[in-house]
Structure formats: C-alpha cells, structure tokens
Amino acid sequence: VQPPERPLQSEEWNKLREDFQLPEIFEKVMLNSMIRCNSPIDVAKSLLSDLAKRNGDITYNVLVKYLTLCVQQGQVSEIRDVYDIMKVRFKILESGAYNLLIRGLSNSDQWTMALTLLEEIKKVMVPSRTCYQSCIKAASRHQEMELAFELYKEMLAKDVVPTLDVLQSFFDFSRGVKGAELQKELFGILLYLRDNQIYPHKTFMRSIKLWFESIPGENWRGRLTKIKDSGQCPVCNHQLEDSNLTEEEYSNLSERIIRDVIHGTDTFRKTSPEEFEAFQTFVEKRLPFDIVIDGLNVSHIKSRKMQCENLFDAINCLAKDNARLLVLGRKHMLMNSSNWKRETMKEMQNKAEFFFAENISEDDAFLLYATLRSGKHCRFVTRDFLRDHKACLPDSLTRHLFRKWQRGHQIVLNQNVFPVFFQQPAFRYDCVVQTTGDTWHIPYKDVFEEKYSYQVPRNWLCIRQKL
Amino acid sequence: MQSANMLLRKIVRSSVLPFAAQHGMKKDLFPLSRSLSFSLCLKQDKSCEPSEKLDLDEWKKVMKSGLQEEVSETVSEFKELSGLAAARETVDMWRLAGKAVPESISEEQLKTFMECPSKSAKKKYLKYLYLKELHKKNNKRKMDEKRQRKLEAQDQASEMDETKRSPFVCLWSSTMDKAYNWRAAQSMIFGQPLVFDMSYEKEMSVREVTNTVSQIVMSESCNRRSVDPFHIHFCNFKDDSLYHREFVKSYREAWDKLLITVTDQCYTEIFPKDKLIYLTADSPKVMKTFDHDKIYVLGSMVDKSIKTGVSLARAKRLGLETAALPLEKYLLWSSGAKNLTLDQMMHILLTLKDTADWKKALEFVPKRKYCGFVNKPVKELRKTLDLINTLKFGKGREEVEKQFAKNYPKR
C-alpha cells in the first residue's frame, strides 16, 4: 500500500479502506508502510482521527506504530502526548513502547523524562540494553558523567551486556575533560574490554585515541601500528604480554578440561574409564611431548592422497629438531586397508609415539589432555577449531582462558602449501587490550573487515605518555 | 527511585489533570458513553459545515475524554505492582502489542512464566501456550461443525426412515478392544520382549518428559493394534517419577490395566546380557536384519538439544551390544537428525518383525528427512554416481564428494 501524501478526510479513508482486501488489518498495514516511507506525521494523525471517530478508541498496537513514526522523526511533543495517553489508558506498558519512548525522549531536551521512564521499567522488568544505551548517551551528552557511569554499572550488575556504542560514547563525551575519577572510570572500560576479549572497531578506536590525546597536561600520543610476530611494538619497542597462561590459570584450565570436557556428565560419553586410565598411564610414562598430533584430522588434509601418506608427511615435517611427537589415532588405523598401509604405519611408529583409542571414542579430548599434561611448551596440531569442547566449559572465564591457550598452542597446517608446510605461527603474544601504566596497546578491527571468532585483529593502537 | 516516582506522578498530574478540569464542565452534557456521544457530535458538526478544516489532534481528545473519570482513580490508586499481578499485566500488554500470547492464562502457567530465566524463554513459553490454545480452539470448532453435520444427517435419516438389518449388534469398538487385549495378553506370555529404558529423566526437561510419555503412549497403542504385538517392558521405572505422573495423567485408570510389564529393575537383571541389543542412532554398528531371538532396548528419551552419545554411553557402561537403523544404507538422507521418535521406532520394529522388509519398515521415517529410497547400498550408488559425474563434468568430482561428506560424515 502506498500511503497518501497529505492528510485525508474520513470519507477518503473510508474509500481507501474499502478498496483494501482485508479491512480488519488496514490500519496496521497502512501505518507500517507509513513508517517505511517515513510519511509526514500529519497523515498518520488524520488516520488516527478517523479511527477515533469510527471506534471511539484506538488500540495499543496502533498507538505504538504511531509512536514509532514520531520517534523516527523526532517529534518530541507528539511523543509526550502519546505517552500521556498511554499512561492514562494502561497501567504498565510493554517493552516495545518503552524502548521507543526512551529512544525518542533521550534525543530531546526532555531527556530527564527518559530517566524517569527507565525507573518505571525497572519496576516490572529488566530494561533492554538499548534503553540503557539511550539513557547513558543522553546523560553523557549533557555532561552528567557521574549519572552515566552509575547507569553503566547498574547495567553490568544486571548482566545486560553494553553495546560498543555505549562504551564509545563515554570516550566521545569525556574528551578534553580533566578529572582523576573520570579517568579511572574510562580506564575501567578499557579493562572491561580486556577481560571480555572484546576488540573495538575502527571508529571506537579513534574515539579512544582522541580522548587520550585530549587529556590536558598528560601528553599522551597514539599511533596506529602492526605488531611484529615477535610481539614487539614497532612504535615504542615495547614487548607485548606473553600468550602463556600463568601457573594458576594453567592448572585451573587443565583441571577444568579433565573435569568438564573429558568426564562431563558421564565418562562413557567420550571414552570409558578403563580407556582413559590406560591413556593416562601411557602419557605419564612418556612425558613430556613437544607436539601432539590429531592423526585422523591431519590424515584428511589432502583428499587426493592416501590418508596414511598425509599423516606420514606431517610427521616428517614436524619431526625436526628431535621434537617428541605424540600421534593420537583410532584402532581402525591399525587394520591394513586401502587408506592405512601397515608398512607406513610401522615406519611412522618409529618416529613418533602413537596412541590408538577405541573407534567410538573421541580422540580430541585425549589431544587436549596430553598437550596440557606435557606443559606450557607443548603445542598441538589439528584443523579442528575445538568449538564443541570449548562449549563444554561452563563459564565464560574458563572459555576465554581456553581460547587464549588455544591461540598460543594450536598449529594449523595449511593444505595448499603442505607438505612444504606452512605453519600458522602460534601467537607468542597475547592479543588483548593491555597496559603498563604509561603505555596502552589496544587491538582493533576494521569495520569492514570480516572477522571470525577464532581470528584476532592484526591492527593495533599504541598509546604512550611522553614525559 | 522515590524521587523518580514523585516526578512521574507530577508529570501525569500536570499533563492530564488540567485537561480533565477543562472538560469537567462538559461532563454533565454527556451523560452516556462519552466517546460515542463525542463522535456523534463531531459528525453533526461536519454535516452543517462540510468545508471545515481537518482537526488533526481530534483523536487525542477522544482518547482522553473517554477516560476522564478513570484518570483520577488510577492516579490516586497508583500502586506498585508485584508478583503475579505484574506478570499478568505484562502478558496483557504483550497481547495488545500483537505478540503471540494466549488469551487466557492460568495462575500455574503464570508462575511457570515468571520462572523462565530470560526474556526469550518467556516469549517462547507464551508462544507455546498460544499455539496450544489455537489448536484447542480449532479442534473445538471442528468438533462443533461435525456435531452439527451429524445432527443434520440424523434428521435426514429419520425422514427417510429406513431401518438397516445386520446380523451383528453394533458394538465394534468394544469388541475390537477385547480382541486387542486378547492378543496383548498372549504377547505377555509368548511375545518377543521389547524394552523401554526409563532412566533418562535427569537428562530431560519437563516438557521433554511429557513428549516422551506421549510418544510411548502412541507406541503402546500401535503395538496393541498390531497382528503380533511385542511384550513391552518398562525397565528402570521408578514410582513417583515424573514419567509415572505423566503416564497416569494420560492413561488415568487404564494405567493399572495395561498389558505391559513395568519394573524398577534394570533390563540387565531380567534378561541375559548377550541377548540385549541397545538401539541408538550413535551406534557404530548398523542393524542388518531383525533378530527374533534378541531383545531390543529403546531409550525413552526425547532430546531436543541433541545430546550426542547419552544412550550410547549407557550401553557402553553396561557392556551391551548396540545397533543403529541402516538409514544411510537404504535412504538418501537429506536433512534432520537421525534419531527418530519412539512411535516411529515402534512402527518400524513391528513392520520388520512381521515382514522383514526394510523398504516397508522405513516408510515410517518422516518423508521430510530423506529424498528417496535406494535399493542398492549408498556406497555402491556413490561409485556409479561419481563415475557419471566424472564422465559428465570432468572436474565436478570433488563437489560431489563434498556433498557426500556432508550428508554422510565419517564416523
């Protein structure tokens, strides 16, 4: 339906309604298309007047749609009128209307009303993150930074995840303002990014940079850069944090993996107690390994080659420098078949240790265990992202630890260059927001660059204080 | 909080009350329904002055005028909503906003609604109730229509007044029941056992248990109607378990008269271990033929969240043989999980038992899950398909392989 361009009289609306196939939903469809076309508000008003005349009442649904149109066009007085009407008609509103009202009012000079509305929502439900976003932005726009931070903390306490927009607005509106308290809060946000392994996008990064450089009398300088593989920042020659976990994190992670990934609710789901015990004694006797290989995964790298040849190539490649290898496989690999030749298997067993699990067991769990047990220097080879194992970990903190450890220890074989063998270097440095007090290093992603969850950004913002 | 509240009240008062005062004078002019009379009056205005300019804020007056009297009440009686009342309000508002919400909601359902941990869980629950209500309504409507038709048909029949003569008294359903029960009783003595393993209650949500029970009820009924029924065993069945309560809910008094064996013992205690075969989709072994001397075990579990390997783990723990249906061998699988519902399994097993015909038995796999039936095993078919493709496209082979790898992952 094409909405009319000017307000219509009742008769004209009637005519339109009669022409429409489903007169019951005429208003709904018409208002939706008005929202889509961003029609003048007067047109919608004339429709509402017609409705009020016909039925003596306007349904909530229609009011909300009208409200959407008002918010879209920033008609503050209309928003207030609609709110007054709704307030009288209904005891409470539902989240859609609240979101709209808050969004509409927070952008106007009546932004304090948005705050009262937020209080009202809290009585019946947890406000959505967009509600908080609007209120926080409104508060910081009016330099009520304390209030904005109060709302931000409340939001975190309620487990509502803030949008990057909110975080960015803090930096945008604090530009040029001096204050130790404020600075502390903003550093707190940067540490929030660090703890949750969130990477800001380019515009957000720019806001951070500008804020740092605008602090009066502190002389911060920011530069964009790329970190070397060694983990050194080319701008300030600062060595980034190591990707290794601390002793405590490490033991914590290995404990959790054994408990939640290998055993889980039922040890029989991934292995069996006898098998796991056998594996444990096997590993303990031969510790430590340098590289643990997921045999089956590696053997499928090139589909044109025989599976055992693939594995053989990989082992030959990795067996340099007397590295101690452990290959995990399944028992079916020992059966002489078209894909697994007995002679090749024998030869491989001379070069590396092998452990063969039952055909129905999950070898990935063993891979994790053996690698963790061997110590921090040990790395593992598989193309698997291990997402299902990460998902077995119950809390996000351990999952972050897992991801960090994985980044530092997983070697991925590239099937195109193999067997010349390109190893994705396991990262030596940790890719998170980090600080030493007088320097900050912040990884960021290009907005347009597509980033998978397993990838880390290569671009960094280096900020340091010149004294 | 307190101050905000005050502010809010001020706003409400300041915006509404003057308006109410303005119109208060007119109050006695419209003794009847306010909105109705208002619109009437507007229409009259129009008729005498057709070229009048359009008043765009008319609707606001209408909306406010209809409610003046109530306004003062709501403002003075403004109370903090709490608990159930607030939940009910929320649900009502969602309904007004046009979301999928049931029209009537019971106290118990409201409590469940409040216990939902997140907003999306709440929405899902309401949608479930809404659909349930819709189904109920539709069924009722259909029943009414049917009754209406029946009545009409009866009227016509009485007009014709034609008596039918038949050598049998019309008592079909009860006679059938007797026959079925006779067969089921025989199966209790001579029939091949079929075990339902009822030990998965902990792995399931309440709704999954309900679904499980309704699936078992369906399988029991189709077993009873078959020519040669199984002797059904419910093993690991605990009294006062959720299963038990749900069974009593759906069977009522008939629960105690069912011709099945219910026990809290494990199947390994009743039957020799080497005769048991645990049927699970995760099994590496594929069933070739139906064995009349074996005892098949079905896990009574609905897992909507696909908990891989739960029943396989159970069989492993007990050291039982396992088997999966040869779905990939006979069907070109297209989509969907390979675990089937319990009543589908029952149909398949019954058909296998009677006919040993895989094609007939696998008819009961939902059609949406497979594209077609293959007579040759898929492996052989794959070879010919590959050959055709290499001949046809030359290089397209890898694509085909990828497709197959997706549909038939290596295990």
Side-chain angles (χ1 to χ4, degrees):
Chain A
V1 212
Q2 193 65 34
E5 277 159 19
R6 57 178 180 82
L8 299 186
Q9 299 281 0
S10 291
E11 297 82 46
E12 292 168 296
W13 279 121
N14 275 342
K15 198 172 169 311
L16 274 182
R17 187 177 287 119
E18 275 156 23
D19 291 345
F20 193 68
Q21 302 121 318
L22 296 160
E24 311 88 71
I25 57 162
F26 172 74
E27 288 82 26
K28 209 170 134 190
V29 175
M30 182 53 86
L31 278 164
N32 275 342
S33 75
M34 282 184 197
I35 293 167
R36 205 169 43 245
C37 306
N38 206 8
S39 305
I41 195 168
D42 285 348
V43 183
K45 272 187 184 175
S46 77
L47 177 60
L48 290 195
S49 296
D50 173 52
L51 255 183
K53 254 187 265 176
R54 284 168 66 90
N55 311 334
D57 191 20
I58 293 168
T59 56
Y60 180 76
N61 207 352
V62 171
L63 276 178
V64 172
K65 286 200 194 306
Y66 175 66
L67 186 63
T68 316
L69 194 65
C70 297
V71 171
Q72 198 169 299
Q73 302 180 2
Q75 307 272 1
V76 182
S77 66
E78 275 309 303
I79 295 171
R80 286 214 47 179
D81 280 352
V82 175
Y83 174 62
D84 289 343
I85 288 170
M86 281 183 165
K87 189 67 221 163
V88 174
R89 279 275 157 133
F90 310 102
K91 243 186 234 162
I92 59 165
L93 305 182
E94 99 347 308
S95 49
Y98 277 131
N99 278 352
L100 283 169
L101 285 169
I102 289 189
R103 206 169 80 209
L105 292 169
S106 64
N107 282 326
S108 70
D109 48 356
Q110 314 216 1
W111 63 279
T112 44
M113 243 189 95
L115 296 181
T116 38
L117 266 171
L118 190 71
E119 290 301 317
E120 198 178 323
I121 301 176
K122 277 187 230 158
K123 281 181 212 156
V124 273
M125 57 187 127
V126 178
S128 67
R129 56 193 251 172
T130 47
C131 282
Y132 273 113
Q133 176 182 327
S134 306
C135 288
I136 290 176
K137 276 177 119 174
S140 40
R141 193 179 302 122
H142 293 86
Q143 290 302 321
E144 299 270 357
M145 292 316 276
E146 237 170 82
L147 179 63
F149 275 110
E150 206 175 292
L151 286 173
Y152 167 67
K153 277 173 194 155
E154 186 182 300
M155 182 176 187
L156 291 185
K158 285 187 178 171
D159 274 337
V160 183
V161 181
T163 54
L164 285 186
D165 234 25
V166 167
L167 304 181
Q168 190 185 346
S169 76
F170 280 122
F171 287 95
D172 280 339
F173 293 113
S174 312
R175 207 172 292 161
V177 184
K178 198 176 162 68
E181 199 56 34
L182 180 73
Q183 202 163 333
K184 213 179 105 198
E185 297 281 13
L186 288 170
F187 284 165
I189 291 178
L190 289 176
L191 292 178
Y192 173 82
L193 295 180
R194 176 192 167 88
D195 290 343
N196 293 286
Q197 301 197 13
I198 300 169
Y199 307 115
H201 48 73
K202 211 169 186 174
T203 44
F204 185 5
M205 175 277 297
R206 206 156 278 149
S207 299
I208 296 173
K209 181 169 176 277
L210 287 176
W211 173 73
F212 266 107
E213 289 171 347
S214 77
I215 305 173
E218 297 221 346
N219 227 356
W220 290 92
R221 278 289 155 269
R223 283 195 46 197
L224 309 186
T225 179
K226 285 193 174 155
I227 301 292
K228 292 179 195 159
D229 280 344
S230 62
Q232 204 180 37
C233 171
V235 181
C236 59
N237 293 328
H238 171 69
Q239 183 70 30
L240 291 194
E241 271 175 55
D242 212 86
S243 69
N244 282 332
L245 307 183
T246 63
E247 284 301 330
E248 197 192 335
E249 284 173 335
Y250 195 84
S251 65
N252 196 356
L253 181 66
S254 19
E255 215 172 89
R256 296 304 276 276
I257 288 208
I258 291 171
R259 202 183 71 196
D260 298 323
V261 179
I262 297 177
H263 292 304
T265 48
D266 187 352
T267 317
F268 284 96
R269 273 176 79 171
K270 289 191 174 155
T271 165
S272 68
E274 297 85 40
E275 192 185 23
F276 185 60
E277 209 169 296
F279 178 68
Q280 272 181 315
T281 44
F282 172 89
V283 171
E284 298 302 325
K285 264 190 207 156
R286 292 165 178 78
L287 276 177
F289 299 103
D290 297 318
I291 296 174
V292 183
I293 302 167
D294 184 348
L296 278 174
N297 188 294
V298 167
S299 71
H300 284 290
I301 274 191
K302 283 200 169 175
S303 54
R304 278 168 206 278
K305 269 197 172 176
M306 224 193 287
Q307 290 175 6
C308 62
E309 278 181 33
N310 272 329
L311 184 59
F312 190 63
D313 288 346
I315 289 174
N316 277 337
C317 254
L318 292 162
K320 291 166 201 154
D321 314 325
N322 290 330
R324 284 180 57 80
L325 303 183
L326 168 64
V327 181
L328 292 167
R330 293 213 182 105
K331 288 209 167 130
H332 72 76
M333 291 158 76
L334 288 169
M335 309 278 278
N336 203 7
S337 66
S338 60
N339 260 323
W340 297 99
K341 292 277 172 258
R342 190 162 283 158
E343 303 84 64
T344 331
M345 287 302 289
K346 277 239 175 74
E347 216 178 323
M348 282 194 277
Q349 271 166 297
N350 290 331
K351 297 194 171 189
E353 298 282 354
F354 271 73
F355 183 85
F356 297 99
E358 291 295 330
N359 291 340
I360 51 172
S361 294
E362 283 225 24
D363 46 3
D364 290 350
F366 293 153
L367 177 85
L368 294 177
Y369 177 79
T371 316
L372 282 166
R373 202 58 202 86
S374 296
K376 282 181 181 176
H377 73 287
C378 181
R379 290 177 296 169
F380 62 97
V381 184
T382 176
R383 280 186 304 170
D384 197 319
F385 293 123
L386 307 171
R387 291 189 187 110
D388 45 345
H389 302 292
K390 195 172 69 191
C392 292
L393 297 169
D395 59 311
S396 63
L397 195 72
T398 327
R399 278 200 288 260
H400 282 318
L401 277 186
F402 182 80
R403 198 186 276 174
K404 184 176 168 184
W405 174 75
Q406 187 187 0
R407 263 204 308 265
H409 293 83
Q410 181 166 14
I411 301 174
V412 181
L413 302 181
N414 189 320
Q415 55 190 352
N416 299 324
V417 208
F418 185 72
V420 184
F421 217 45
F422 165 80
Q423 294 178 15
Q424 184 213 306
F427 276 96
R428 294 216 198 131
Y429 57 93
D430 191 13
C431 198
V432 286
V433 175
Q434 44 193 280
T435 179
T436 56
D438 59 347
T439 64
W440 281 87
H441 285 89
I442 299 166
Y444 67 92
K445 53 187 183 193
D446 273 320
V447 189
F448 308 110
E449 168 191 24
E450 202 173 310
K451 193 182 86 60
Y452 298 98
S453 62
Y454 59 87
Q455 288 177 331
V456 285
R458 310 305 290 263
N459 296 322
W460 288 73
L461 168 66
C462 162
I463 301 173
R464 67 209 152 115
Q465 204 168 17
K466 272 189 190 153
L467 296 171
Chain B
M1 192 82 169
Q2 193 67 29
S3 62
N5 213 342
M6 284 298 293
L7 220 148
L8 199 85
R9 271 180 219 180
K10 255 187 213 162
I11 291 160
V12 171
R13 281 217 187 91
S14 60
S15 56
V16 179
L17 291 184
F19 192 83
Q22 249 178 47
H23 284 253
M25 303 189 297
K26 288 187 197 162
K27 201 171 176 179
D28 27 27
L29 281 176
F30 308 106
L32 284 171
S33 164
R34 188 150 297 273
S35 52
L36 187 73
S37 47
F38 204 94
S39 53
L40 260 178
C41 144
L42 283 168
K43 265 178 200 159
Q44 276 166 1
D45 278 357
K46 252 221 177 105
S47 57
C48 52
E49 234 183 86
S51 62
E52 186 204 34
K53 206 182 165 275
L54 205 57
D55 179 6
L56 289 172
D57 288 333
E58 225 167 64
W59 61 277
K60 286 184 195 162
K61 285 177 210 155
V62 176
M63 289 301 283
K64 285 172 183 168
S65 66
L67 276 156
Q68 285 162 29
E69 296 97 284
E70 292 164 44
V71 172
S72 46
E73 282 169 41
T74 44
V75 170
S76 59
E77 278 179 35
F78 190 85
K79 263 187 275 176
E80 301 259 320
L81 285 169
S82 64
L84 281 178
R88 199 173 277 281
E89 284 292 323
T90 323
V91 172
D92 283 344
M93 289 319 287
W94 281 359
R95 186 182 310 116
L96 285 179
K99 286 186 181 148
V101 171
E103 273 174 26
S104 60
I105 186 165
S106 73
E107 199 112 307
E108 202 173 324
Q109 285 167 341
L110 259 184
K111 268 181 199 145
T112 326
F113 167 76
M114 280 162 66
E115 278 159 18
C116 289
S118 67
K119 215 185 222 169
S120 64
K122 281 180 180 168
K123 274 182 193 162
K124 254 186 212 159
Y125 181 65
L126 283 183
K127 189 169 180 196
Y128 158 71
L129 290 180
Y130 168 75
L131 287 178
K132 213 167 131 188
E133 196 180 50
L134 209 68
H135 282 303
K136 224 176 183 176
K137 260 190 209 159
N138 277 344
N139 281 343
K140 202 174 169 245
R141 191 172 44 83
K142 273 180 201 158
M143 290 287 273
D144 286 345
E145 275 168 17
K146 207 173 162 189
R147 196 173 298 138
Q148 198 67 34
R149 255 179 308 189
K150 223 177 183 177
L151 277 176
E152 276 165 24
Q154 254 175 14
D155 282 350
Q156 278 178 358
S158 62
E159 274 169 32
M160 306 251 252
D161 205 9
E162 199 178 277
T163 45
K164 286 178 199 157
R165 284 170 195 281
S166 154
F168 302 113
V169 188
C170 198
L171 278 171
W172 280 35
S173 69
S174 71
T175 327
M176 293 299 274
D177 274 348
K178 251 179 218 160
Y180 289 145
N181 281 340
W182 177 246
R183 268 193 218 148
Q186 270 193 320
S187 83
M188 293 273 288
I189 311 168
F190 305 113
Q192 182 180 3
L194 180 76
V195 176
F196 282 91
D197 179 5
M198 312 294 255
S199 55
Y200 293 100
E201 201 175 295
K202 265 187 270 162
E203 326 274 351
M204 289 188 280
S205 67
V206 179
R207 237 168 98 192
E208 283 172 335
V209 174
T210 324
N211 291 349
T212 308
V213 166
S214 76
Q215 284 180 14
I216 294 178
V217 169
M218 274 193 274
S219 9
E220 191 272 328
S221 87
C222 89
N223 181 54
R224 197 172 354 136
R225 275 152 224 267
S226 70
V227 188
D228 182 15
F230 283 106
H231 175 195
I232 294 181
H233 286 71
F234 288 174
C235 288
N236 293 325
F237 190 92
K238 304 270 178 303
D239 278 345
D240 293 324
S241 58
L242 201 51
Y243 278 126
H244 188 183
R245 260 176 284 153
E246 288 292 330
F247 272 120
V248 171
K249 231 191 236 170
S250 55
Y251 274 118
R252 307 233 176 75
E253 309 83 67
W255 170 244
D256 293 322
K257 294 178 206 148
L258 277 186
L259 293 170
I260 56 173
T261 303
V262 179
T263 168
D264 61 347
Q265 281 179 303
C266 185
Y267 30 88
T268 47
E269 295 166 42
I270 308 175
F271 303 108
K273 258 193 187 181
D274 55 332
K275 286 217 159 184
L276 289 166
I277 295 183
Y278 210 113
L279 292 177
T280 161
D282 296 320
S283 172
K285 274 185 206 133
V286 173
M287 198 170 156
K288 286 209 177 70
T289 49
F290 182 85
D291 194 335
H292 294 269
D293 296 327
K294 296 279 188 191
I295 296 145
Y296 290 96
V297 185
L298 296 173
S300 312
M301 174 175 168
V302 169
D303 58 336
K304 292 193 169 161
S305 52
I306 310 290
K307 300 181 191 80
T308 318
V310 174
S311 54
L312 185 64
R314 192 131 317 175
K316 260 204 246 169
R317 183 192 295 277
L318 297 169
L320 298 178
E321 203 180 316
T322 59
L325 292 182
L327 297 175
E328 289 164 51
K329 191 173 159 195
Y330 291 100
L331 303 174
L332 263 175
W333 201 260
S334 66
S335 67
K338 297 231 168 65
N339 48 3
L340 303 176
T341 62
L342 292 164
D343 51 313
Q344 285 159 8
M345 284 304 288
M346 184 59 123
H347 276 296
I348 290 171
L349 289 176
L350 280 170
T351 320
L352 278 180
K353 189 171 150 186
D354 293 345
T355 65
D357 182 352
W358 280 106
K359 186 169 169 25
K360 241 186 187 170
L362 295 182
E363 291 275 293
F364 291 102
V365 177
K367 295 275 182 295
R368 69 190 138 85
K369 288 194 176 184
Y370 64 93
C371 325
F373 199 88
V374 285
N375 291 322
K376 276 189 200 170
V378 171
K379 253 189 197 161
E380 281 172 36
L381 201 82
R382 179 183 165 179
K383 275 180 201 157
T384 43
L385 230 150
D386 279 0
L387 197 69
I388 291 168
N389 275 318
T390 36
L391 289 175
K392 230 175 171 178
F393 312 110
K395 268 174 82 182
R397 212 194 125 168
E398 272 181 341
E399 286 296 309
V400 182
E401 254 180 26
K402 258 185 210 162
Q403 194 60 34
F404 262 103
K406 219 170 89 191
N407 289 347
Y408 303 96
K410 292 173 189 116
R411 269 249 147 209

